[in-house]
Amino acid sequence: MKLQLWRNATLLLNINETSILIDPMLGEKGSLGTFPMTDNDLQNPLLDLPFNREELIEKLQTIDAVAITHLHPDHWDPTAIELMDKTTTILCPAVISEQIEKQGFQNIIAIEDHIFWNNIDISITEGQHGTGEIGDRMGTVNGFVFKKENQSVYIVGDSIWYKGIENEISKHQPQHIIVAGGAATFTMGDPIIMTSEDIIKVCQYAPQAKIWVTHLEAVSHCKEDRAFIQEKINGKKYENQCFIPKDGEEVHLD
């Protein structure tokens, strides 16, 4: 398996000869405008993709499937909807499949729990996108576990650390866990994705796994950047277990 972080939660996962694009936010810098309930007027996304539009189009032509955890615009934006071929295989939780179909996509695999696709074992996992009223407003979110022979990667999606994540790790025993960091917070409520403290809890709960932190420095409501999280990881001596890839960086999931 290979993984490339494009930006935010957008990842390219290569499993043998299969390329799966996860949570594509493909618009140019500022294309989504300001986000509601934030304490700033920053235009999202805050930065461009690490390659130009021509290179993006070339990359999209090699994609075998798109996996979507939920439909917030920093995970599935209008540019992705426009650029993706409508015959592309879409892997998604069943709860959002009808909305994606209304966007014109013709080859949707709606997953209730678990499927076997293209010789890859794919499971849907649960998540919690915040607590209290803001958590309710953020709606249902999910993640994915991809397994191929003796390799496995768990993409948590937009979730805080809570009992459900413990349960998924215990159930699937992934070798790699990809979390959404950044402590994204609105003007009401607590963080809606993982804080650095949450990330440390993942490391502690899953000492057998390598942890990869994404969702950083690309959207305006994230409060923790790479340097801050790296300092916290180093302080707890998890720098050999927990890693923060740069945008555009490709890593091998050994």
Side-chain angles (χ1 to χ4, degrees):
M1 291 185 182
K2 289 191 300 184
L3 184 77
Q4 185 182 39
L5 173 61
W6 285 14
R7 176 184 59 187
N8 199 52
T10 305
L11 301 160
L12 181 63
L13 177 64
N14 287 290
I15 304 175
N16 290 353
E17 300 301 317
T18 301
S19 295
I20 303 171
L21 183 63
I22 299 161
D23 283 352
M25 176 177 66
L26 304 181
E28 296 179 353
K29 178 181 177 181
S31 59
L32 294 176
T34 59
F35 283 172
M37 296 191 300
T38 57
D39 54 5
N40 58 67
D41 295 322
L42 297 174
Q43 303 290 303
N44 295 281
L46 303 180
L47 70 171
D48 281 315
L49 288 164
F51 34 77
N52 62 38
R53 190 177 178 89
E54 181 179 336
E55 292 170 319
L56 171 62
I57 299 301
E58 290 179 1
K59 287 177 176 290
L60 294 181
Q61 292 172 351
T62 69
I63 300 299
D64 296 301
V66 174
I68 305 169
T69 61
H70 66 298
L71 297 177
H72 289 167
D74 61 325
H75 294 254
W76 181 238
D77 71 347
T79 304
I81 295 167
E82 174 193 348
L83 292 181
M84 296 306 308
D85 190 298
K86 296 303 183 288
T87 63
T88 302
T89 297
I90 305 291
L91 305 166
C92 67
V95 68
I96 63 174
S97 61
E98 185 176 338
Q99 291 168 272
I100 297 171
E101 184 178 12
K102 289 178 180 178
Q103 293 166 344
F105 290 88
Q106 304 160 21
N107 188 15
I108 300 169
I109 300 176
I111 309 170
E112 292 283 357
D113 177 58
H114 167 268
I115 63 165
F116 197 69
W117 172 81
N118 214 26
N119 294 317
I120 303 168
D121 193 325
I122 305 173
S123 296
I124 291 290
T125 60
E126 67 171 64
Q128 184 175 321
H129 207 351
T131 58
E133 182 181 347
I134 191 64
D136 292 338
R137 288 196 189 189
M138 298 307 288
T140 300
V141 294
N142 296 98
F144 292 94
V145 174
F146 296 93
K147 296 180 181 178
K148 174 75 172 183
E149 297 171 353
N150 62 342
Q151 294 180 297
S152 59
V153 56
Y154 170 25
I155 297 169
V156 175
D158 274 13
S159 179
I160 59 173
W161 172 258
Y162 76 113
K163 186 67 175 180
I165 305 303
E166 290 186 14
N167 294 340
E168 298 291 1
I169 293 171
S170 296
K171 176 181 178 180
H172 296 286
Q173 294 293 307
Q175 295 167 310
H176 299 272
I177 302 174
I178 300 168
V179 302
T185 310
F186 290 105
T187 51
M188 62 175 291
D190 294 325
I192 59 171
I193 55 178
M194 290 196 187
T195 65
S196 53
E197 292 180 358
D198 287 339
I199 294 165
I200 296 300
K201 290 175 183 176
V202 178
C203 295
Q204 292 170 339
Y205 191 79
Q208 81 289 350
K210 289 184 178 179
I211 315 302
W212 304 87
V213 187
T214 65
H215 210 294
L216 301 176
E217 302 175 0
V219 288
S220 61
H221 54 320
C222 283
K223 306 301 182 183
E224 297 180 358
D225 61 13
R226 284 179 169 91
F228 180 89
I229 298 171
Q230 188 68 61
E231 181 180 356
K232 297 297 182 182
I233 291 169
N234 294 351
K236 294 293 185 178
K237 301 191 183 304
Y238 285 113
E239 62 270 22
N240 293 321
Q241 181 191 2
C242 187
F243 308 95
I244 308 174
K246 299 179 176 66
D247 292 350
E249 183 176 353
E250 186 176 77
V251 297
H252 288 265
L253 303 182
D254 299 323

